Amino acid sequence: MSLWNFVQDQLLGMAWLNDLIGRGLSKVGVDTTSPIGGSLHFFLYDVIKITVLLCLLIFLVSYLQSYFPPERSRKILGRFRGMGANLVAALLGTVTPFCSCSSIPLFMGFIGAGLPIGVTFSFLISSPMVDLGSLVLLMGIFGTKVAVIYVILGLVVAMVGGALIQRLHLEDQVEEFIRQGVAVQAEGPVLTQKDRVVYAKEQMLSTFRKVFPYILIGVGIGALIHNWIPQSWVETVLGGKNPLGVVLATIIGVPVYADIFGTIPVAQALLGKGAMLGTVLSFMMAVTTLSLPSLIMLRRAVKPRLLGVFVAICTVGIILVGYLFNALQPWLGM
């Protein structure tokens, strides 16, 4: 346990970096106990920590993803039936792009290739909501128990959501040009280890350029919440005394467009100010899964009825996960 605590606190949580930045700021005359100094400390620590973890995780995940190009993923999914197919689709979603807007083109390709609609939606729900990057970041900030339960519940939401959509027989709610799409049948060239490393490096740089502005915004908001927003305000709106806190956080998260790396600092700051654990996790899930830009993109591929069912299933699932985490919070020691 001591070894694992070291990994979680010093490697993933980078507690040493937090101390180093605090000492550095103190040496140049910055009072880290003041609101301005505390905000600067929070901002520098979280930006550096998330940037390092982000680049490392994207590189590793992209290297792994090089073994699962779209055509191979389609063939893997085509071998399974029933809930097994939903589970495999949800698991494949964990090694694909980090935001919902990047997942939708793959979703369209799977639909065009003739995969069952429920399976493709399990992938679409899982891809932004649960990924390997979020698992590692959550472990470093919220602890191992929270991270593991978050991933498991996210996979359950993806599986059940896809299965419900399959049972509703909404295939006719997919736009015609998507259903008539022709899948590429030829496998891509066989990649060497050097090719995979180059691919992972390119994906890391490309993704980093896209998400870094959201990291800055998310950490900036988190720094403001952490040092300027009164704790009583957060506890009143998102604390245990408000039974509708989870619902409110989910609704607030929908218009926001960010990824898991930009929302975690906000969630961390809210939790530190007295918000309930499930409430901040519901906010994170809503931001990553139901952002307005992704819903607008998805509307190009599906008709309003199917889009509404998708939003309703995800919203209910996110809210249930939030209330479950709130109930488990004392057991989780947070």
Side-chain angles (χ1 to χ4, degrees):
M1 287 300 297
S2 60
L3 176 61
W4 177 246
N5 289 337
F6 173 81
V7 172
Q8 181 173 295
D9 296 336
Q10 300 299 326
L11 297 184
L12 300 180
M14 295 189 186
W16 60 269
L17 178 64
N18 188 43
D19 296 337
L20 179 64
I21 293 175
R23 291 197 299 268
L25 290 174
S26 297
K27 285 185 178 180
V28 298
V30 176
D31 181 8
T32 56
T33 62
S34 68
I36 295 178
S39 296
L40 182 60
H41 187 187
F42 183 98
F43 184 84
L44 292 175
Y45 166 62
D46 265 38
V47 167
I48 296 173
K49 177 183 70 173
I50 293 176
T51 297
V52 172
L53 289 175
L54 169 70
C55 292
L56 179 61
L57 291 170
I58 292 177
F59 182 87
L60 294 176
V61 172
S62 297
Y63 182 86
L64 179 61
Q65 187 184 344
S66 69
Y67 289 92
F68 298 95
E71 176 59 19
R72 184 176 184 184
S73 298
R74 184 193 69 81
K75 288 184 176 180
I76 291 173
L77 293 176
R79 297 172 187 166
F80 296 87
R81 295 291 182 271
M83 288 299 289
N86 293 103
L87 173 59
V88 174
L91 290 173
L92 277 175
T94 65
V95 292
T96 50
F98 294 98
C99 70
S100 52
C101 288
S102 302
S103 305
I104 290 174
L106 286 173
F107 160 80
M108 293 179 179
F110 290 156
I111 288 284
L115 290 176
I117 188 172
V119 173
T120 59
F121 268 95
S122 287
F123 167 84
L124 183 63
I125 296 170
S126 170
S127 182
M129 184 183 292
V130 184
D131 59 64
L132 298 180
S134 66
L135 173 61
V136 175
L137 278 179
L138 287 168
M139 287 170 62
I141 293 176
F142 298 113
T144 306
K145 289 182 181 178
V146 173
V148 172
I149 295 174
Y150 175 90
V151 170
I152 292 174
L153 293 179
L155 291 174
V156 170
V157 171
M159 291 171 56
V160 174
L164 285 174
I165 289 175
Q166 187 69 44
R167 282 185 169 273
L168 291 173
H169 302 292
L170 297 173
E171 288 80 3
D172 62 335
Q173 293 298 303
V174 177
E175 295 291 352
E176 190 68 23
F177 78 95
I178 299 293
R179 285 188 284 140
Q180 292 182 350
V182 179
V184 177
Q185 297 298 324
E187 287 280 3
V190 177
L191 299 180
T192 64
Q193 292 300 318
K194 181 179 179 180
D195 293 333
R196 298 187 192 281
V197 171
V198 170
Y199 170 79
K201 179 183 176 181
E202 292 174 349
Q203 287 293 103
M204 178 190 72
L205 294 175
S206 175
T207 305
F208 175 74
R209 284 192 291 265
K210 292 177 182 177
V211 305
F212 188 64
Y214 298 109
I215 293 176
L216 295 178
I217 294 171
V219 175
I221 294 173
L224 290 174
I225 294 172
H226 190 267
N227 294 280
W228 296 90
I229 304 298
Q231 182 166 339
S232 59
W233 292 9
V234 178
E235 289 178 344
T236 300
V237 178
L238 301 177
K241 295 181 180 180
N242 183 4
L244 296 178
V246 171
V247 177
L248 180 62
T250 303
I251 294 172
I252 292 174
V254 172
V256 181
Y257 177 58
D259 53 43
I260 192 73
F261 301 103
T263 55
I264 280 182
V266 179
Q268 180 185 8
L270 289 172
L271 186 65
K273 282 292 185 176
M276 295 292 289
L277 175 63
T279 302
V280 298
L281 291 180
S282 291
F283 170 77
M284 285 173 47
M285 284 184 163
V287 169
T288 55
T289 309
L290 295 174
S291 65
L292 282 180
S294 67
L295 295 181
I296 292 171
M297 286 185 63
L298 184 58
R299 173 61 187 89
R300 295 176 55 192
V302 303
K303 298 177 182 179
R305 182 184 171 194
L306 179 52
L307 182 65
V309 170
F310 168 76
V311 171
I313 288 175
C314 289
T315 300
V316 172
I318 290 170
I319 290 173
L320 291 176
V321 168
Y323 281 116
L324 180 57
F325 264 110
N326 282 349
L328 292 174
Q329 186 166 346
W331 176 74
L332 294 170
M334 302 189 68

